[in-house]
Amino acid sequence: MSSTFKENLRSELDYQDITIKELSAMTNIPYRSIENYLSARESIPPADYAVQIARALKTTVEELVFGKSKTQTKKSESEAQKIQRLFSKLPKSDQNFFIKLMEGVLKK
């Protein structure tokens, strides 16, 4: 099941911790318009507004309309691989420290 513009916009706003009011100020798009794009009616903005929103959120219109692309998924995987590669270069004592640190953070 594919995600909708409303879901993708809400997800991006939540991820970036941006409010509707802040997005409105960043884009000069009326607050009510953005609120409508997030409402149950699921209206989609005109192209110029979609571009302004995408630019403000540092994403693409395609990602807002269709969701995350395969390219981004691969990028995330390569970032995970980079972390693994760098982690393997650490001395064993530092590896143990980071493991304990991550376990402590996850217990919160």
Side-chain angles (χ1 to χ4, degrees), residues 8-61:
N8 295 328
L9 178 57
R10 172 52 58 203
S11 177
E12 199 61 37
L13 289 173
D14 291 346
Y15 177 75
Q16 294 189 32
D17 195 26
I18 295 174
T19 65
I20 297 171
K21 184 177 180 179
E22 290 169 329
L23 183 61
S24 176
M26 294 164 67
T27 59
N28 292 320
I29 296 172
Y31 177 93
R32 285 274 190 218
S33 295
I34 296 171
E35 196 174 51
N36 286 337
Y37 307 143
L38 295 166
S39 73
R41 293 187 307 156
E42 296 188 34
S43 62
I44 296 177
D48 58 332
Y49 277 14
V51 169
Q52 286 175 265
I53 291 169
R55 284 183 180 158
L57 297 175
K58 295 178 177 60
T59 189
T60 65
V61 174

Side-chain angles (χ1 to χ4, degrees), residues 55-97:
R55 284 183 180 158
L57 297 175
K58 295 178 177 60
T59 189
T60 65
V61 174
E62 290 82 6
E63 288 169 10
L64 290 174
V65 173
F66 301 113
K68 297 293 181 190
S69 68
K70 291 181 183 176
T71 305
Q72 281 193 313
T73 303
K74 288 180 184 176
K75 181 180 176 185
S76 296
E77 291 168 0
S78 66
E79 289 173 352
Q81 291 170 346
K82 181 179 179 181
I83 290 168
Q84 184 178 10
R85 180 178 49 80
L86 293 172
F87 183 81
S88 69
K89 291 181 178 183
L90 292 171
K92 191 70 173 169
S93 61
D94 288 342
Q95 288 179 358
N96 290 335
F97 169 79

